Amino acid sequence: MSDEGQDGDDSRGRPRKAPTAFRTISEVADDLQIPQHVLRFWETKFPQLKPLKRGGGRRYYRPEDITLLRRISDLLYTQGYTIKGVQRLLREGGLDEAGQAPELPLGDLDEAEAPEPVREALDTLERLAHELRALTARG
């Protein structure tokens, strides 16, 4: 006797909310697979993120808050940006409509103008190349 097969219900038997409905921190954490304490921490780091707070401090996230959280999560966990890098992108409006960081024409990119993840990767590659040269010189 399971509700899993019914349209509009999740595995706990609760009806799905409308896309425009506000969501609690536990619903957002479950949906994005991010711990609640991380969401609260991100509120302190990203001033653009402002869920409604009701009595007792209970948070209610608007659809635009959830979209922003998805952007932040993707930039941090998938694209490799640091918190400072994401803060800069958000502050400078460096995200497109879908929340993606701009495409990089790496062939024409001056290293000093590269986004933080690219600079970090280049630094790592240079360090590894130096170590390889040192190892082969010992040969």
Side-chain angles (χ1 to χ4, degrees):
M1 190 162 180
S2 172
D3 290 339
E4 290 176 307
Q6 293 179 354
D7 289 338
D9 289 352
D10 69 14
S11 61
R12 295 187 203 149
R14 288 187 304 201
R16 284 215 173 126
K17 288 187 173 181
T20 57
F22 287 35
R23 290 184 167 57
T24 64
I25 193 168
S26 62
E27 291 170 323
V28 174
D30 288 346
D31 184 39
L32 300 179
Q33 297 179 339
I34 297 171
Q36 293 179 26
H37 70 273
V38 172
L39 297 176
R40 289 188 289 272
F41 172 72
W42 287 354
E43 286 177 35
T44 67
K45 296 296 179 184
F46 303 104
Q48 301 87 344
L49 188 58
K50 293 181 183 169
L52 286 175
K53 289 185 185 171
R54 302 296 292 196
R58 188 170 177 130
R59 291 163 169 79
Y60 290 94
Y61 291 88
R62 297 174 280 256
E64 55 269 21
D65 294 323
I66 297 169
T67 300
L68 179 57
L69 286 168
R70 283 187 204 285
R71 291 177 186 176
I72 293 168
S73 174
D74 178 62
L75 289 166
L76 290 172
Y77 298 141
T78 305
Q79 297 186 36
Y81 281 81
T82 62
I83 287 180
K84 285 187 183 274
V86 175
Q87 287 170 332
R88 188 174 338 144
L89 272 177
L90 292 174
R91 189 173 48 249
E92 296 171 359
L95 300 177
D96 66 17
E97 305 270 323
Q100 300 298 313
E103 289 292 321
L104 300 175
L106 293 178
D108 301 335
L109 189 64
D110 179 15
E111 186 176 333
E113 298 171 358
E116 191 170 343
V118 174
R119 286 194 310 269
E120 290 172 1
L122 289 172
D123 290 343
T124 300
L125 289 171
E126 286 177 19
R127 182 177 41 80
L128 291 171
H130 177 72
E131 290 175 18
L132 284 172
R133 280 192 294 275
L135 287 173
T136 55
R138 283 190 227 168

